[in-house]
């Protein structure tokens, strides 16, 4: 499968969407739709991570599609997301400054590594070292 989702933790507080090889935005949106059924069964907020590191390339039209990330599309999804592995040019085209995109209540953080993503998640979830 070109796109899937997994839970990062047993408590299902972090959902991770993973791009692998060749994929398109229909693959992404289909996976997000399917994952919302899993969110229906939860009674707590969920963080979102989009991992593009195993992607062959980012399909055309990334700016418009990435703007859907971090939007409040489900009662249990928090209005923020972390994207791992998106090129700086696409980030700039989206309007990100220093790896951060904000629009109203929406927040997207762009990072290059798993370690950076985990540090942001720990901060967002109020975890201490």
């Amino acid at each position: 499968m070109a796109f899937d989702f997994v839970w990062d933790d047993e408590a299902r507080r972090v959902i991770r969407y993973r791009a692998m090889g060749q994929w398109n935005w229909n693959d992404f949106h289909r996976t997000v739709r399917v994952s919302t059924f899993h969110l229906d069964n939860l009674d707590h907020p969920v963080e979102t991570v989009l991992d593009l590191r195993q992607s062959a390339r980012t399909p055309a039209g990334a700016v418009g599609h990435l703007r859907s990330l971090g939007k409040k599309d489900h009662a249990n999804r928090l209005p923020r997301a972390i994207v791992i592995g998106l090129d700086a040019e696409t980030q700039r085209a989206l309007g990100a400054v220093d790896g951060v995109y904000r629009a109203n209540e929406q927040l997207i953080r762009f990072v290059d590594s798993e370690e950076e993503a985990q540090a942001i998640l720990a901060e967002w979830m109020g975890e201490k070292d």
Side-chain angles (χ1 to χ4, degrees), residues 49-50 52 66 69 81-86 108-112:
V49 175
L50 173 59
L52 302 175
L66 288 171
L69 273 178
I82 298 169
V83 178
I84 308 172
L86 184 68
I108 304 173
R109 298 278 309 266
F110 298 95
V111 299
D112 294 321

Side-chain angles (χ1 to χ4, degrees), residues 71 79 101-107:
K71 288 191 176 177
Y101 172 77
R102 287 186 183 276
N104 300 316
E105 294 180 8
Q106 178 187 21
L107 170 64

Side-chain angles (χ1 to χ4, degrees), residues 39-105:
L39 296 175
D40 288 341
N41 298 322
L42 302 175
D43 61 358
H44 59 267
V46 174
E47 302 288 357
T48 301
V49 175
L50 173 59
D51 190 343
L52 302 175
R53 292 175 294 170
Q54 299 301 311
S55 176
R57 63 173 177 74
T58 303
V63 171
H65 293 281
L66 288 171
R67 284 197 175 124
S68 69
L69 273 178
K71 288 191 176 177
K72 190 76 170 164
D73 64 346
H74 190 280
N76 292 333
R77 191 188 309 274
L78 292 164
R80 57 192 181 199
I82 298 169
V83 178
I84 308 172
L86 184 68
D87 65 276
E89 183 178 330
T90 304
Q91 291 179 41
R92 281 191 298 277
L94 180 65
V97 177
D98 295 327
V100 178
Y101 172 77
R102 287 186 183 276
N104 300 316
E105 294 180 8

